Amino acid sequence: MDFFKNLADSFVKEVVDPTVSFAEDSARTVAREVVDPTVSFAEDSARTVVREVVDPTVAFVEDSARTVAREVIDPTVSFAEDSAKTVVREVVDPTVAFVEDSARTVVREVIDPAVAFIETQFQRPRDVIEQEKILDNLLASNGSRFPGDDYHSPDRKNWMAHLSVEKLTLNKIVWPGTHDSATNGIGIDVVTRPLGECQTLSIYEQLVRGTRLLDVRVQEDRHICHGILASYKVDFVIDDVIRFLSETHSEIIILEIRTEYGHRDPPEFESYLTNKLSFKLHYFFNLVGFIAPMLLHVAPPLVICIWKPRESPRPSRGGLLWNYDYLKDNWIDTDLPWTKFQSNMNHLKDQPSLSSRRFFYRVENTLTPQADNVVVWVRPVTDRIRRYARLFISRCKAEGCIDKLQIFSTDFIDEDFVDACVGLTYARINGRI
């Protein structure tokens, strides 16, 4: 056993140990002479690649990136920012300003007027009701009594024939008149007629009912008109006047003819009127002036024709036609009854007395539809004041100007209106005023 043990130990010492030592030395030699130089070479190569390839590439990429940023991205961003600012300044801001201005314009020119119009539509009926209430209260507390208020004509067609001719002078007559006299049947029935029709009777029918002042409006082609609405020719008016005068013997008519506002004068219209009415025109009054005839007894039947052109020369003194100096009024454009009532009264008070007046003065008991109100038909608007005609005469007496009332006109004339005017005329003739 010892032999084998010794043999093994000798083998380890002489073979294995030297072999291990040689292997270790060889490994160290390989490590020192092969691996370490290879690793060192690899590391050096890597550092060289990093230094000579990677770092320059990274630097190039970074420089390229900075160049792209500086020369492409930054100018692009700057261009985009400038473009955005330009779009804001030249497109967005003006668009916003335009929209804001448009909104303000719409508010100012559409919404505000619409709101005001709507407010007016609610307020106007309240104003009308309030003003009618004032007149109703005045009527209830003061009545409508005046000298001659109980008169009822037995013959309105010939009411002047029943006056005391020896006492009758022009300045004592209270003339029942019609406003827009020749508008019966004007326009299209139901459609435009209610907008312009102020009388439903013909001129002849109005005269038969007692009307003695006619307000006739014409346009260039000699047709009757009211604003933009037109109807028959003025010949029908003249024919009705002549027909009426041929059937009566004591009546005097004041025929006022004028060119409607916004229209041109009919050519040679003064000659036309003179030729048509020459046998009925009472030129003597015009020749001697106006004060004298007001104090002279009348010589009916006759027509006092007043022609008011808009462009043509007005009739000269001494001719057959009278000019507009001889007929005056103070018309106000309103659809409110108390406003018109007060205006009529105040203007009447300002007139000269009848004995010194050198013209006819007219008070119109009418109202005018307003374009800013939904109620634009003549009848419902003017009816707000028509029923207060007798109250007006009564208030003239109460306020001391009943002796100044001379021509009293209305829309849609009726018998009661005529009787009120004629009754007051009787009172004057009989010295009750």
Side-chain angles (χ1 to χ4, degrees), residues 218 257-261 263-266 307-310:
V218 295
I257 303 184
R258 53 177 146 163
T259 303
E260 176 71 308
Y261 178 79
H263 293 274
R264 301 178 65 86
D265 298 330
W307 162 229
K308 183 184 180 183
R310 297 194 64 83

Side-chain angles (χ1 to χ4, degrees), residues 95-144:
T95 300
V96 170
F98 172 76
V99 171
E100 291 176 343
D101 289 342
S102 298
R104 281 190 290 268
T105 301
V106 168
V107 168
R108 184 179 66 251
E109 298 184 3
V110 178
I111 296 176
D112 287 349
V115 170
F117 176 78
I118 292 170
E119 290 175 347
T120 299
Q121 304 318 301
F122 284 103
Q123 185 59 40
R124 187 65 61 82
R126 289 195 290 266
D127 292 341
V128 171
I129 292 171
E130 181 179 340
Q131 293 208 3
E132 287 181 327
K133 186 175 180 180
I134 294 173
L135 290 169
D136 286 336
N137 290 339
L138 195 61
L139 183 62
S141 60
N142 294 274
S144 58

Side-chain angles (χ1 to χ4, degrees), residues 329-348:
D329 52 38
N330 288 281
W331 175 80
I332 66 165
D333 187 8
T334 182
D335 62 353
L336 298 175
W338 175 240
T339 300
K340 184 62 175 285
F341 193 96
Q342 282 185 303
S343 174
N344 283 343
M345 186 65 66
N346 292 334
H347 284 300
L348 182 62

Side-chain angles (χ1 to χ4, degrees), residues 190-223:
V190 181
V191 181
T192 58
R193 185 167 301 164
L195 303 174
E197 187 176 57
C198 299
Q199 309 294 332
T200 55
L201 302 177
S202 69
I203 294 297
Y204 175 78
E205 290 169 332
Q206 291 174 43
L207 293 171
V208 170
R209 183 162 290 189
T211 300
R212 292 298 177 267
L213 177 132
L214 300 171
D215 162 22
V216 177
R217 324 284 180 89
V218 295
Q219 59 188 22
E220 188 175 11
D221 61 2
R222 295 186 185 174
H223 279 81

Side-chain angles (χ1 to χ4, degrees), residues 364-406:
E364 290 191 315
N365 193 56
T366 62
L367 291 175
T368 307
Q370 301 299 300
D372 65 348
N373 194 260
V374 294
V375 183
V376 293
W377 287 12
V378 173
R379 188 72 187 234
V381 171
T382 200
D383 276 352
R384 297 170 187 168
I385 199 171
R386 279 182 69 246
R387 54 198 174 97
Y388 298 111
R390 285 181 174 267
L391 176 63
F392 183 81
I393 299 175
S394 174
R395 294 310 303 165
C396 286
K397 180 177 183 297
E399 298 191 29
C401 58
I402 195 169
D403 59 326
K404 294 184 177 182
L405 185 60
Q406 189 173 39

Side-chain angles (χ1 to χ4, degrees), residues 137-153:
N137 290 339
L138 195 61
L139 183 62
S141 60
N142 294 274
S144 58
R145 304 302 303 274
F146 55 86
D149 66 297
D150 56 348
Y151 176 82
H152 297 287
S153 176

Side-chain angles (χ1 to χ4, degrees), residues 1 24 36 40 59 70 75-76 145 152 175 187 199 203 205 242 265 269 327 378 423:
M1 291 295 293
E24 290 176 345
D36 287 348
S40 178
R70 183 178 65 253
T76 301
R145 304 302 303 274
H152 297 287
W175 305 78
Q199 309 294 332
I203 294 297
E205 290 169 332
I242 293 172
D265 298 330
F269 197 62
L327 177 59
V378 173

